[in-house]
Amino acid sequence: MTLKYKMSGIALLAGLLTACGGGSGSSSESASSNLPENLPDAISPELPDDFVPFTDETILDKIKNAITGQDGTSELANNYNEALAHMVGEIFADYPLGRTGRALQVYNLGVNSIKIGNLTCAEVNTNGNTKTLTLKPNKETCIVLDKTFVAGSKITQTVNSDTTTVTFDNVRYGHNLDFSLKDQYLISGSIRYTSSKSSLGKERKYDISNLSFQRVKTDSNKLTEVDVYNADSREYLQLKDYSFSLVDDFGSGSNGTRTLRSKGTVIGQPLDAKFRYTFSFDTGSTPFIMNEISLNNYHHLPEQGSVNITHKKGLFDNELITKIRQDEPRSLKAGVYLGNTKVDDILWSSIIGK
């Protein structure tokens, strides 16, 4: 099976919110106001504009009470509702990969840009096991993989045995084939991918010490990486101390299992939002486990598993813990817990919205 894991389950949550700096917000008006006409294409699938996890006012009351101890709904509860959607999306986007939404696409962007390149305006220099993509000295823009890269972008790929590290240094690109570039993305940081396979099983793992991704106006330089709202960022995502692993235990016949573990810290500012927040997540001792149906074909819903989300700074500074748990084997819905109280179930089909 390829890294895209082409099977029936991949579509189930492929439309999940790209989260924290990726998807649109919970309101179609807030997500589209005051934005230029030609925004860059999103790296991950967008969530439908009208999606929020909770619509029942009594649930919003519970959210407000859990956060502040006060009765009634508030802007804080509504913001939490939107932020929770982004948090869930970060962890489960493109399920059953179950990794933070942008990491895999950003990694593939780097590898494929170096592999395909564009000889007319870019060059790839090789030094031992390291390849570096830059624009040619006399070029201000270059179309690579239908993305308009600009001068100053650099992508480096280093391969050591079964480990590939892709590093982005001031990588700036904008809307497909668009040289006017009213908005552009800035990517910096590294992603390390390790794969191994034996007769007993296969493992794929992504590690990120720090990776930032933000959408800015074209006249903006790299913005300071902090966990407070920045009006100059149209959207923002930072991954810190992040790891994701997918382990296939082949077993015998169709008795194999796929185990998903993930943890990390995310700083996010949704598209056109007026707030920024920080949370950590960890599957810990309860990874998500999917049983094999047939050779290299696994159920797309887990038999079991849960992830804890701990709010750190920004909107939520009291370290309220949210848990997303598969309460029943291969259930179509996940339980959502605030603290130790279950507040609702979310249908996976509702999360993707369409």
Side-chain angles (χ1 to χ4, degrees):
M1 187 176 295
T2 68
L3 277 177
K4 293 183 179 180
Y5 305 103
K6 295 180 179 177
M7 61 186 190
S8 60
I10 193 68
L12 180 64
L13 294 189
L16 253 174
L17 173 67
T18 40
C20 283
S24 54
S26 59
S27 166
S28 58
E29 291 185 0
S30 66
S32 60
S33 61
N34 302 317
L35 294 178
E37 295 179 358
N38 63 334
L39 289 174
D41 286 352
I43 280 190
S44 295
E46 297 281 350
L47 189 79
D49 288 339
D50 59 354
F51 172 73
V52 292
F54 305 134
T55 56
D56 187 333
E57 288 298 317
T58 62
I59 295 175
L60 291 178
D61 285 340
K62 292 179 181 179
I63 293 173
K64 175 67 187 307
N65 294 340
I67 293 173
T68 67
Q70 302 175 19
D71 294 330
T73 61
S74 68
E75 182 180 357
L76 181 62
N78 291 326
N79 285 345
Y80 173 85
N81 200 14
E82 179 178 345
L84 178 61
H86 289 266
M87 295 174 193
V88 173
E90 279 299 344
I91 298 165
F92 290 105
D94 281 353
Y95 192 84
L97 293 183
R99 43 80 187 166
T100 299
R102 293 197 190 277
L104 186 59
Q105 277 109 341
V106 171
Y107 174 85
N108 287 338
L109 170 71
V111 170
N112 291 329
S113 295
I114 288 176
K115 180 180 179 180
I116 297 172
N118 185 334
L119 295 179
T120 62
C121 50
E123 54 190 10
V124 176
N125 294 314
T126 301
N127 182 6
N129 59 355
T130 299
K131 295 181 178 180
T132 302
L133 170 72
T134 57
L135 269 62
K136 291 185 176 181
N138 61 335
K139 298 295 183 180
E140 293 297 322
T141 60
C142 184
I143 305 244
V144 181
L145 287 178
D146 79 2
K147 302 297 182 186
T148 308
F149 285 76
V150 297
S153 298
K154 183 170 74 172
I155 303 174
T156 303
Q157 174 185 310
T158 302
V159 179
N160 288 308
S161 184
D162 58 0
T163 299
T164 300
T165 302
V166 179
T167 300
F168 300 86
D169 182 8
N170 198 34
V171 174
R172 309 166 68 93
Y173 72 91
H175 186 73
N176 295 2
L177 311 182
D178 177 13
F179 291 97
S180 60
L181 292 180
K182 293 183 176 65
D183 267 21
Q184 63 186 345
Y185 287 131
L186 303 180
I187 304 176
S188 64
S190 298
I191 303 173
R192 186 174 74 247
Y193 169 66
T194 304
S195 63
S196 60
K197 185 177 181 179
S198 71
S199 61
L200 300 178
K202 177 170 58 176
E203 178 178 10
R204 287 139 289 180
K205 186 177 183 182
Y206 292 84
D207 290 292
I208 296 171
S209 58
N210 186 52
L211 179 75
S212 67
F213 179 100
Q214 53 190 312
R215 176 185 283 177
V216 299
K217 297 178 181 179
T218 53
D219 57 359
S220 298
N221 292 314
K222 181 180 178 181
L223 303 178
T224 304
E225 296 180 346
V226 293
D227 57 4
V228 296
Y229 170 73
N230 188 330
D232 291 330
S233 284
R234 294 205 182 276
E235 55 179 324
Y236 181 79
L237 170 71
Q238 184 182 357
L239 306 181
K240 300 174 64 176
D241 302 323
Y242 163 80
S243 68
F244 154 74
S245 71
L246 197 66
V247 177
D248 293 349
D249 180 352
F250 293 154
S252 61
S254 60
N255 296 323
T257 59
R258 171 170 286 171
T259 301
L260 180 159
R261 292 180 173 88
S262 190
K263 64 179 180 179
T265 297
V266 177
I267 299 173
Q269 180 176 313
L271 176 61
D272 209 28
K274 303 301 182 185
F275 59 87
R276 184 172 287 188
Y277 54 85
T278 300
F279 71 92
S280 294
F281 63 95
D282 193 350
T283 54
S285 60
T286 56
F288 289 91
I289 298 175
M290 287 71 74
N291 285 345
E292 190 176 24
I293 302 171
S294 58
L295 183 62
N296 250 352
N297 186 13
Y298 295 83
H299 287 288
H300 58 268
L301 292 168
E303 295 293 313
Q304 62 190 56
S306 67
V307 61
N308 280 350
I309 302 171
T310 305
H311 312 292
K312 294 292 187 180
K313 295 181 180 178
L315 284 178
F316 319 109
D317 58 5
N318 60 350
E319 297 203 353
L320 173 71
I321 295 177
T322 303
K323 178 178 286 187
I324 310 294
R325 188 172 74 187
Q326 187 75 339
D327 288 332
E328 298 178 5
R330 296 203 301 275
S331 173
L332 292 173
K333 58 188 179 182
V336 181
Y337 298 78
L338 296 179
N340 295 319
T341 303
K342 183 174 182 178
V343 295
D344 202 9
D345 290 307
I346 298 182
L347 286 167
W348 293 120
S349 58
S350 296
I351 293 175
I352 62 171
K354 59 182 177 181

